[in-house]
Amino acid sequence: MSIQWLEDVRSTDIETVGGKGASLGELTAAGLPVPPGFVVTADTYRTFLETAGIDEERFGGLDVDPDDDTGLAAAASQARELITETPLPESVREEIITAYRSVGGETDDQPSEPFVAVRSSATAEDLPDASFAGQHGTYLNVTENDLITRVKACWASLFSERAVHYRNNQGFDHDDVDIAVVVQQMVDAEKSGVLFTRHPSTGDRQMIVEAAWGLGEAVVSGTVSPDHYVIDPETATVVESTIADKKQQMLKDPETGETAIQPVPDTDRTTRVLTDEEVERLVELGQRVEAHYDAPQDVEWAIVNGEAFMLQSRPITTISETAGTDPAAATGGDAERSSTAPERAKSSTDGAADTLVRGVSASPGTGSGAVRIVKKLDHLDQVTEGDIIVSKMTMPDMVPAMKRASAIITDEGGMTSHASIVSREMGVPAVVGTQDATQTLTNGQIVTVDGEMGTVREGSTDDESAIQPDPLEAVRPQTPVKPMTATEVKVNLSIPDAAERAAATGADGVGLLRTEHMVLSLGKTPARYIDDHGEEAYIDELVSGIRTVAEEFYPRPVRARTLDAPTDEFRELKGGSDEPHEHNPMLGYRGIRRSLDDPDPFRCELRAFSRLFEMGYDNVELMIPLVNDAEDIERTTLLMEQVGIDPAKARWGVMIETPASALLIEEIAATGVDFVSFGTNDLTQYTLAVDRNNEHVAARFDELHPSVLKLIGSTIETCRELDVETSICGQAASKPAMVKFLVEKGISSVSANIDAVRDVQHEVKRVEQKLLLDSVR
Ligand code: PEP
Ligand code: MG
């Protein structure tokens, strides 16, 4: 038998029908409402490979160095081709088609040729420590014509580059994972979503439901923001709900039968998806499935014509042993964190005489150790574990040394300079813009850096506060579930190594992935690197850095930005002496203006994006920095097309960082951008004429200045009219006052630094709830 009917399958049959098939079979047998269907077994797949004699060829081909991207891509593509091009034995074909014909049968609204969902079900799927979520193919609304092709496409999806890379990363042998395929009657969901039968973090007796219009794929893949309901299971009543603005839904096109993202009619966008009766029905199903498995479950469900179906159920593995405390009380802490040291010192009792230097409190936390003054790039080697790095300004590729350091002090810079951004990201305490730390402090001197106060004191501290928390635990949300917000809260990232930490915040995606650090860490300018190693090697480096983040966040979106490094940041690198000398690098040769002027290295960056799209990283979005007008954008999209990126298909957008771009937002929207994102670090410096890296004018750097807010407010208004998404990824996204302003204006998402995400989630939720309350009062 090549197939097994779902009603004959049990949860112990994973080896034969894969994780998804086993779970659906168990639910069917338990009498729960699962759409009828069958599974093309893993044995069928295995026998196909063996009979066709492609088994050895397939695994032999994949036996390449996992770091050899090009070799891996070629081998994976060859394996896929072997599977799709080798014909299926006629007997197997017939068995699948016959089974298909009896799925659904013929009724008034179900034509004789039923629509089915074809879903991969890998045998290593949904293991406790490897979810394989989103790794393998799923095809909706399939009919007889393309059924066999789709089944084989599921088999081949075991060999997408992404899946191969994932198995390599997770330590699975390619040989260990087989794939079955579930063929199941299609439910044309009017509404769908997920249901947690217990609170996913605390295990509290609360059910959590997320619901959106249309097919569930849109919720699971993160394409739409769903409504969020907290339900008391005893009474089956909603105790808390957040109704999202559901702009899109995934529906079947009645003409072509294809599934497509479509706009939600205006009248339904902010309407609550679930009725009270539907909530009751889901609670009942949740209780039955939990009782059946005797464990909390995470269920995918769909509703059509008032009837609820279960599409999948897995155990919730994230429930922690101890309930966390609600950090809501900490909301507002950012106002302090982002104030400058001189302001903080005034209100501080820490005016002690042992304060050696003061600066801007750039990254919170306290660290003690021996001063290591670093003047040149090669001095970074001398930084040993626990040292305090003291330098004039951030250095290219300080990152490895930062990992060893217990704190960082710089003479120059402000809150938004790269030293600050990177140290916050890495969770290393930092005080920047001290003006004279490299003169005042001496090598070997023992000091304590207070990143919160912006001070450096003589001596060490055995105070408990000096012990740094585990950086991963420090950012992990401690509330039961992350606050559900209609406005998405994303995270900014510069160093791929920090991706796990960034993802642990529960952010809805990456709102800004700066690629500068990937390039700076090569130790050579792009031009020199390409001269020495060739274009392909440069592209490989970019692909590998962006992919690490895209993988960690998949399917949450990752907005990666093309290069924007001022010439002075490149100076210390090999090849840096060829960089032009500029009077004011911040106003100079950087961002898209440099990329358009010197398109060869830029084309390599775009080719890296093109490669990632081909590899299946459909969560990667492309963002262009420092544009002034539509011409900048049109010249960029031409280059995108030249490397094979179709601007109509890829998701891309631009940063609003100059007053020019904010003032010309209509013409920018007309270029076809999917989104714009406010880079308030630059927008503030260019609007107020305050150099963001100049500590002498740091007190004048004010992202909340009325002129900056006016530009942002009017841009959001226009974008809402023109249906362009808006976001912010500058440092100001961490300020509660800015968050309040933006949410009230109707921004689509905000993206904050890792250390601030948790507070921003709470702040956004607070403002949204207040808006809702005000609207009904
Ligand atoms: C900004 O300008 O606000 C921004 C996010 O970009 P960067 O800090 O890298 O210039
Ligand atoms: Mg910028």
Side-chain angles (χ1 to χ4, degrees):
M1 281 284 276
S2 306
I3 64 125
Q4 272 196 27
W5 289 97
L6 281 180
E7 59 253 37
D8 300 329
V9 166
R10 293 295 175 273
S11 58
T12 44
D13 295 336
I14 292 190
E15 279 299 304
T16 326
V17 297
K20 195 175 288 151
S23 145
L24 289 170
E26 182 74 23
L27 295 173
T28 308
L32 286 154
V34 174
F38 60 90
V39 188
V40 180
T41 62
D43 294 341
T44 310
Y45 160 76
R46 179 58 69 183
T47 315
F48 163 76
L49 296 184
E50 282 163 10
T51 323
I54 55 181
D55 202 28
E56 254 169 47
E57 212 171 327
R58 179 187 57 143
F59 294 120
L62 283 172
D63 201 12
V64 292
D65 175 359
D67 291 333
D68 170 9
D69 281 344
T70 321
L72 197 68
S77 144
Q78 194 210 3
R80 291 196 300 274
E81 212 175 293
L82 277 169
I83 291 174
T84 41
E85 306 219 325
T86 308
L88 196 62
E90 196 47 38
S91 58
V92 177
R93 222 187 96 81
E94 261 176 33
E95 209 178 329
I96 296 175
I97 296 288
T98 312
Y100 158 82
R101 287 186 184 149
S102 52
V103 169
E106 201 166 350
T107 63
D108 283 350
D109 27 342
Q110 181 74 43
S112 53
E113 200 185 5
F115 285 104
V116 288
V118 177
R119 309 163 79 192
S120 299
S121 177
T123 55
E125 205 173 51
D126 295 334
L127 297 181
D129 52 356
S131 75
F132 283 82
Q135 296 293 320
H136 307 125
T138 290
Y139 303 92
L140 304 179
N141 292 307
V142 177
T143 52
E144 184 166 328
N145 260 350
D146 49 358
L147 177 60
I148 300 297
T149 318
R150 293 309 192 201
V151 169
K152 283 169 76 189
C154 286
W155 292 350
S157 71
L158 205 49
F159 298 96
S160 74
E161 258 178 75
R162 207 158 66 72
V164 171
H165 177 72
Y166 182 83
R167 290 197 294 275
N168 283 343
N169 261 1
Q170 299 287 329
F172 281 96
D173 266 354
H174 298 293
D175 219 357
D176 281 351
V177 187
D178 278 339
I179 193 158
V181 181
V182 176
V183 179
Q184 210 180 1
Q185 193 182 85
M186 189 71 206
V187 176
D188 282 338
E190 287 152 9
K191 32 184 103 170
S192 50
V194 290
L195 154 73
F196 295 95
T197 63
R198 297 280 180 98
H199 222 297
S201 308
T202 60
D204 278 356
R205 287 210 154 268
Q206 276 179 326
M207 286 199 184
I208 308 292
V209 171
E210 295 194 331
W213 303 114
L215 297 170
E217 268 65 21
V219 179
V220 178
S221 68
T223 319
V224 301
S225 309
D227 285 357
H228 180 84
Y229 310 84
V230 179
I231 297 163
D232 175 357
E234 298 300 322
T235 56
T237 48
V238 175
V239 290
E240 194 186 324
S241 65
T242 308
I243 308 305
D245 180 0
K246 301 162 288 288
K247 296 189 188 117
Q248 297 177 316
Q249 58 187 334
M250 198 180 267
L251 291 177
K252 179 171 77 179
D253 181 327
E255 314 236 305
T256 61
E258 283 182 10
T259 29
I261 295 275
Q262 293 176 18
V264 171
D266 280 350
T267 44
D268 289 346
R269 274 174 55 162
T270 49
T271 305
R272 186 175 132 161
V273 170
L274 289 177
T275 63
D276 287 343
E277 293 72 42
E278 288 165 340
V279 168
E280 277 170 31
R281 175 70 177 141
L282 290 177
V283 168
E284 185 215 323
L285 290 180
Q287 281 167 338
R288 279 173 61 192
V289 72
E290 185 177 297
H292 179 76
Y293 283 112
D294 197 19
Q297 297 289 300
D298 158 2
V299 177
E300 284 173 35
W301 55 266
I303 292 180
V304 60
N305 293 331
E307 198 178 343
F309 290 94
M310 296 178 71
L311 307 180
Q312 186 151 352
S313 183
R314 316 180 186 88
I316 303 177
T317 51
T318 53
I319 294 176
S320 56
E321 295 293 308
T322 51
T325 50
D326 187 341
T331 308
D334 279 338
E336 289 187 344
R337 198 177 300 153
S338 54
S339 64
T340 56
E343 286 163 357
R344 293 295 316 272
K346 273 185 231 140
S347 60
S348 156
T349 51
D350 179 64
D354 61 355
T355 298
L356 300 169
V357 285
R358 287 178 194 284
V360 174
S361 46
S363 175
T366 311
S368 297
V371 164
R372 179 69 49 205
I373 296 174
V374 175
K375 294 210 168 124
K376 283 181 137 4
L377 199 53
D378 48 15
H379 290 177
L380 283 167
D381 288 350
Q382 297 163 8
V383 176
T384 55
E385 199 67 40
D387 279 355
I388 308 273
I389 299 180
V390 182
S391 72
K392 195 158 173 277
M393 189 50 183
T394 173
M395 299 233 176
D397 200 18
M398 247 192 184
V399 172
M402 274 182 170
K403 284 185 187 152
R404 300 191 291 272
S406 54
I408 292 156
I409 308 168
T410 68
D411 287 352
E412 298 174 358
M415 260 313 271
T416 66
S417 47
H418 270 140
S420 314
I421 291 168
V422 172
S423 46
R424 276 195 296 279
E425 191 162 312
M426 298 183 61
V428 182
V431 173
V432 302
T434 59
Q435 305 197 20
D436 55 4
T438 53
Q439 308 298 321
T440 314
L441 305 177
T442 49
N443 264 326
Q445 185 178 9
I446 303 296
V447 298
T448 296
V449 176
D450 185 335
E452 193 86 14
M453 303 301 297
T455 56
V456 179
R457 293 195 310 270
E458 181 87 59
S460 159
T461 173
D462 40 24
D463 180 348
E464 288 230 321
S465 66
I467 299 165
Q468 290 303 303
D470 176 335
L472 200 61
E473 290 315 314
V475 295
R476 206 184 285 287
Q478 288 169 12
T479 38
V481 240
K482 70 167 184 162
M484 288 306 295
T485 56
T487 313
E488 290 174 317
V489 179
K490 300 184 181 175
V491 63
N492 296 339
L493 198 59
S494 303
I495 308 157
D497 279 357
E500 190 190 353
R501 218 176 144 245
T505 60
D508 295 314
V510 175
L512 166 64
L513 171 59
R514 290 182 171 92
T515 50
E516 291 78 53
H517 269 274
M518 295 173 205
V519 173
L520 291 173
S521 66
L522 300 174
K524 298 179 177 179
T525 61
R528 174 63 66 88
Y529 194 87
I530 291 170
D531 273 354
D532 291 353
H533 310 274
E535 287 193 341
E536 288 307 318
Y538 181 56
I539 296 170
D540 283 350
E541 289 290 346
L542 294 172
V543 166
S544 141
I546 300 173
R547 180 166 81 175
T548 303
V549 181
E551 187 70 53
E552 185 69 47
F553 276 82
Y554 198 87
R556 291 178 276 173
V558 172
R559 203 163 273 182
R561 184 179 71 180
T562 58
L563 209 55
D564 180 11
T567 44
D568 54 341
E569 293 200 3
F570 279 155
R571 182 108 38 234
E572 283 285 321
L573 301 175
K574 289 203 178 78
S577 53
D578 299 336
E579 288 290 299
H581 282 271
E582 301 181 284
H583 289 296
N584 192 336
M586 274 299 176
L587 288 174
Y589 202 43
R590 53 174 288 211
I592 198 60
R593 38 182 91 169
R594 178 173 190 158
S595 300
L596 292 173
D597 186 67
D598 183 17
D600 284 342
F602 184 51
R603 264 194 213 95
C604 293
E605 292 176 53
L606 295 176
R607 280 172 57 200
F609 280 89
S610 169
R611 279 255 295 275
L612 287 156
F613 297 146
E614 276 165 23
M615 288 159 81
Y617 290 99
D618 50 9
N619 59 333
V620 171
E621 304 177 343
L622 189 157
M623 184 153 69
I624 311 163
L626 220 67
V627 300
N628 265 347
D629 48 37
E631 191 188 333
D632 279 342
I633 302 173
E634 279 151 9
R635 289 176 62 196
T636 306
T637 48
L638 274 181
L639 291 169
M640 280 159 68
E641 278 162 352
Q642 279 176 18
V643 304
I645 300 174
D646 179 351
K649 290 204 178 124
R651 270 188 63 78
W652 62 280
V654 299
M655 296 199 55
I656 300 295
E657 296 177 287
T658 65
S661 60
L663 294 167
L664 296 178
I665 189 62
E666 275 101 348
E667 68 167 61
I668 286 180
T671 61
V673 287
D674 293 304
F675 58 83
V676 300
S677 184
F678 299 105
T680 42
N681 306 338
D682 280 320
L683 186 60
T684 305
Q685 81 164 340
Y686 297 136
T687 306
L688 302 179
V690 170
D691 180 346
R692 61 191 262 195
N693 276 348
N694 183 340
E695 62 280 8
H696 299 289
V697 285
R700 284 187 159 267
F701 188 85
D702 176 13
E703 297 111 320
L704 293 164
H705 192 279
S707 58
V708 180
L709 295 185
K710 197 165 176 181
L711 288 170
I712 294 177
S714 61
T715 305
I716 295 179
E717 242 161 66
T718 309
C719 284
R720 290 184 63 175
E721 278 160 27
L722 301 175
D723 218 12
V724 171
E725 274 178 34
T726 47
S727 189
I728 178 176
C729 54
Q731 173 62 30
S734 309
K735 294 191 168 179
M738 180 60 99
V739 170
K740 180 167 181 295
F741 171 79
L742 295 169
V743 173
E744 285 174 355
K745 283 282 170 200
I747 199 160
S748 326
S749 63
V750 294
S751 187
N753 301 325
I754 296 180
D755 60 299
V757 168
R758 201 196 304 174
D759 289 349
V760 173
Q761 287 166 339
H762 283 282
E763 184 62 15
V764 170
K765 180 161 184 178
R766 200 182 62 76
V767 179
E768 286 179 349
Q769 284 183 333
K770 173 130 190 354
L771 284 174
L772 274 174
L773 276 177
D774 287 349
S775 71
V776 294
R777 269 177 183 151

